[in-house]
Amino acid sequence: MRVQRPKPITEQVSDILRQRLRNREYPPGSRMPSESELALELGVSRATVRTVMAKFATEGLILRKQGDGTYVNERIRDVDFRYGGIWDFSRLIEDNGYTHSIKTLLVEERNPTQQEAQALGLDGNTAVINLQRLFMANNQPAICTNNAISRSFIDVNIDLTQFNSQLPIHKLLQEYCHQDIAYAITDIEAKSAAAPINAVLRRSADTPLLQLTETFYDKVNQPLVFGISYFDQAILRLRLVQAWG
Amino acid sequence: MRVQRPKPITEQVSDILRQRLRNREYPPGSRMPSESELALELGVSRATVRTVMAKFATEGLILRKQGDGTYVNERIRDVDFRYGGIWDFSRLIEDNGYTHSIKTLLVEERNPTQQEAQALGLDGNTAVINLQRLFMANNQPAICTNNAISRSFIDVNIDLTQFNSQLPIHKLLQEYCHQDIAYAITDIEAKSAAAPINAVLRRSADTPLLQLTETFYDKVNQPLVFGISYFDQAILRLRLVQAWG
DNA sequence: TAGTGGTCTAGACCACCCT
DNA sequence: GGGTGGTCTAGACCACTAC
């Protein structure tokens, strides 16, 4: 276990303001206190407040008007909506108004597929750990994910049957591989899914699925995880907020 | 015509550094000059350089390592890749390695559909301008877009036949409506497209399409444009880069 | 130990909106 | 005119990495 430093001030400010937004202490559509007021109240510099506000603005959470003030965007419901940052399927399900749970379908060690080997930069003989999971929304199957991690990242002594597969992928990597994800590249496609996928999602084959193909990298550009996920659109919406400035 | 202020310094710095990255003056994978060096060289403060670098980092363009340096991410090819910011289909096509052109299929004034009226907050009697365009990649149809703008935004004297529909949507709004887009909400879905869409995209009906449903808003949260777009996946890939921090 | 990026401050000036 | 967000600076200190 590592010694915990106190959180950076910007993060603390961010937490406080997110909390107030979630509690509707600053109601949707209303004008927030000015940056100077917030800085004074929280005992930090205006620059620090502005750093946080800039992040909120790119998420579309607030609308800033020069010469006027900063307003809470009533169109963005969930304060935890994330723009930037890797997608967290558990949160995505919660954001859509469901309670989530994770069902582990498979944990196995096997040789990589050709696609996995290419994405992870492996030769065909290096094994991968394959983790297949089903994200449930109100106990209905919503997302089916398949993640491959190079076997060499994981301590050989780990008992796969004891694997805590409830964690989001970046936590899994921290826990079992001591690796931090720096960024991800995601391809979004519309697919007619194969029969097995339709079976686990309990859906008919006539409507197409959203397929996300993700590769996660660390700071030295080493590929960590390759994953393919399928979305059931009957339950979930994939929604982006894109802000200018 | 409005008087042009000189560009903000951060934007000038951003332009210069993007240029150098594009020219491979800072080659992919190499270490960039330190923030202090850049600040000194460009005659700006380190904070200004950091503002720009932070933006690049969220785009995945660079990888910053504390105690070491800043490295050019060789996995992100095109320097103009945008994360955050509204999607510009013309640029998206160029990013995929094609030359783009725009074919205007239709410019008409009509009553809004129910979906358009709801998104734009109109009653059924307020007309909209409907703009249907086809974005071509190497003269092949790649994206079919359909945008509805409230008629009341546009000068009644504008001759629709003279409409310059070559512009991206945010430029169109500036030009003809004097409105600035602040943010957009986009839903991404996999669809089996209707026959007319398949016809204009010259594709068979057996493979699904990506459908983007976008609504654009201004700073006072007024809906400006509602649009539905279809992607031909055989030609284009919808790819996101998501970075942490 | 030297140099890098990470964090934060205090303060200045500007453009803009409201009244 | 007074207040707001937008921009930029100079400088301080910290955490971390490479050497």
Side-chain angles (χ1 to χ4, degrees):
Chain A
M1 211 49 176
R2 202 176 300 169
V3 178
Q4 290 295 325
R5 292 189 305 100
K7 274 192 178 180
I9 296 181
T10 49
E11 224 169 293
Q12 295 180 45
V13 170
S14 178
D15 289 345
I16 291 171
L17 296 183
R18 279 205 143 88
Q19 188 69 36
R20 291 182 182 177
L21 288 166
R22 190 184 298 111
N23 295 346
R24 296 171 172 253
E25 199 166 329
Y26 306 138
S30 70
R31 200 174 81 168
M32 292 178 67
S34 75
E35 297 173 348
S36 316
E37 281 182 85
L38 285 173
L40 195 63
E41 183 216 331
L42 301 172
V44 300
S45 76
R46 195 185 144 211
T48 302
V49 174
R50 275 189 66 77
T51 301
V52 174
M53 297 301 245
K55 185 69 170 30
F56 287 178
T58 64
E59 296 179 21
L61 214 57
I62 57 174
L63 298 168
R64 302 200 278 183
K65 286 184 273 188
Q66 190 176 27
D68 182 354
T70 300
Y71 292 80
V72 183
N73 189 350
E74 71 262 27
R75 282 211 168 76
I76 310 296
R77 293 224 184 106
D78 201 297
V79 173
D80 286 326
F81 196 106
R82 288 217 158 265
Y83 183 71
I86 314 298
W87 280 325
D88 180 334
F89 292 145
S90 298
R91 174 145 52 196
L92 192 73
I93 289 172
E94 299 276 347
D95 285 356
N96 271 268
Y98 303 101
T99 55
H100 88 280
S101 56
I102 301 178
K103 190 183 283 186
T104 305
L105 301 179
L106 186 65
V107 185
E108 61 166 354
E109 181 172 342
R110 61 161 167 74
N111 285 331
T113 66
Q114 197 181 352
Q115 200 179 14
E116 288 164 354
Q118 207 222 326
L120 297 175
L122 304 174
D123 57 68
N125 299 320
T126 313
V128 295
I129 302 298
N130 181 40
L131 176 60
Q132 192 172 332
R133 299 188 290 176
L134 199 53
F135 288 76
M136 319 284 282
N138 288 356
N139 292 318
Q140 280 201 314
I143 309 176
C144 178
T145 76
N146 207 304
N147 285 294
I149 309 172
S150 171
R151 184 65 178 95
S152 59
F153 282 147
I154 302 178
D155 189 329
V156 283
N157 298 319
I158 295 281
D159 180 1
L160 289 183
T161 62
Q162 298 298 318
F163 211 64
N164 180 4
S165 54
Q166 294 294 305
L167 300 173
I169 196 71
H170 66 275
K171 294 276 185 192
L172 271 175
L173 278 164
Q174 280 176 345
E175 186 74 21
Y176 296 106
C177 310
H178 309 288
Q179 303 280 348
D180 284 312
I181 294 175
Y183 73 101
I185 298 181
T186 306
D187 280 331
I188 304 177
E189 292 173 81
K191 278 277 170 101
S192 306
I197 301 290
N198 282 317
V200 293
L201 289 177
R202 292 190 216 138
R203 55 194 294 288
S204 60
D206 50 353
T207 56
L209 278 175
L210 269 183
Q211 175 187 292
L212 304 187
T213 308
E214 299 174 294
T215 311
F216 300 88
Y217 302 91
D218 67 7
K219 275 200 173 182
V220 295
N221 240 335
Q222 183 179 220
L224 300 176
V225 184
F226 173 81
I228 299 184
S229 306
Y230 294 94
F231 259 67
D232 189 344
Q233 304 181 95
I235 298 179
L236 290 183
R237 260 191 321 206
L238 190 59
R239 172 170 284 193
L240 289 181
V241 178
Q242 302 166 286
W244 267 16
Chain B
M1 212 48 177
R2 201 177 299 171
V3 178
Q4 291 295 325
R5 292 187 306 100
K7 274 192 178 181
I9 297 181
T10 49
E11 224 169 294
Q12 296 181 42
V13 171
S14 178
D15 289 345
I16 291 171
L17 295 183
R18 277 207 144 86
Q19 189 68 37
R20 290 183 182 177
L21 287 166
R22 189 184 299 111
N23 295 347
R24 296 171 171 253
E25 199 166 329
Y26 306 137
S30 71
R31 200 174 82 166
M32 292 178 66
S34 75
E35 298 173 347
S36 316
E37 281 181 85
L38 286 172
L40 194 65
E41 184 216 330
L42 301 172
V44 299
S45 76
R46 193 185 147 211
T48 303
V49 174
R50 274 189 68 76
T51 301
V52 174
M53 298 300 246
K55 184 70 171 28
F56 287 178
T58 65
E59 296 179 21
L61 213 57
I62 57 174
L63 299 167
R64 302 200 278 185
K65 285 184 274 186
Q66 190 176 26
D68 181 354
T70 300
Y71 292 80
V72 183
N73 189 350
E74 71 260 28
R75 282 213 167 76
I76 311 295
R77 290 221 188 109
D78 200 297
V79 174
D80 286 327
F81 196 105
R82 287 218 158 265
Y83 182 72
I86 313 297
W87 279 324
D88 181 333
F89 292 144
S90 298
R91 173 145 53 196
L92 192 72
I93 289 171
E94 300 275 348
D95 285 356
N96 272 268
Y98 302 102
T99 56
H100 88 280
S101 56
I102 301 178
K103 188 182 284 183
T104 304
L105 301 180
L106 185 65
V107 186
E108 62 168 352
E109 180 172 342
R110 61 161 167 75
N111 286 332
T113 65
Q114 197 182 351
Q115 199 179 16
E116 287 165 355
Q118 207 221 327
L120 297 176
L122 304 173
D123 57 67
N125 299 319
T126 313
V128 295
I129 301 298
N130 181 40
L131 176 60
Q132 192 172 332
R133 298 188 290 178
L134 198 53
F135 288 77
M136 318 284 281
N138 286 358
N139 293 317
Q140 280 202 313
I143 308 177
C144 178
T145 75
N146 208 305
N147 285 294
I149 309 172
S150 170
R151 184 65 179 92
S152 58
F153 282 146
I154 302 177
D155 190 327
V156 285
N157 299 318
I158 295 281
D159 180 0
L160 289 183
T161 63
Q162 298 299 317
F163 211 63
N164 180 1
S165 53
Q166 294 295 305
L167 300 173
I169 196 71
H170 66 275
K171 295 275 187 194
L172 271 175
L173 277 165
Q174 279 176 345
E175 186 73 22
Y176 296 107
C177 310
H178 310 290
Q179 303 280 347
D180 283 312
I181 293 174
Y183 73 101
I185 297 181
T186 306
D187 279 332
I188 305 178
E189 291 171 83
K191 278 276 170 101
S192 306
I197 300 291
N198 282 316
V200 294
L201 288 178
R202 291 189 216 139
R203 55 194 295 287
S204 60
D206 51 354
T207 57
L209 279 175
L210 268 184
Q211 174 187 293
L212 304 186
T213 309
E214 299 174 294
T215 312
F216 300 88
Y217 302 90
D218 68 6
K219 274 201 174 182
V220 295
N221 239 334
Q222 183 178 220
L224 300 176
V225 184
F226 174 81
I228 298 183
S229 306
Y230 294 94
F231 260 66
D232 189 343
Q233 304 181 94
I235 297 178
L236 290 183
R237 261 191 320 204
L238 190 58
R239 172 170 283 193
L240 289 181
V241 178
Q242 302 167 287
W244 269 15

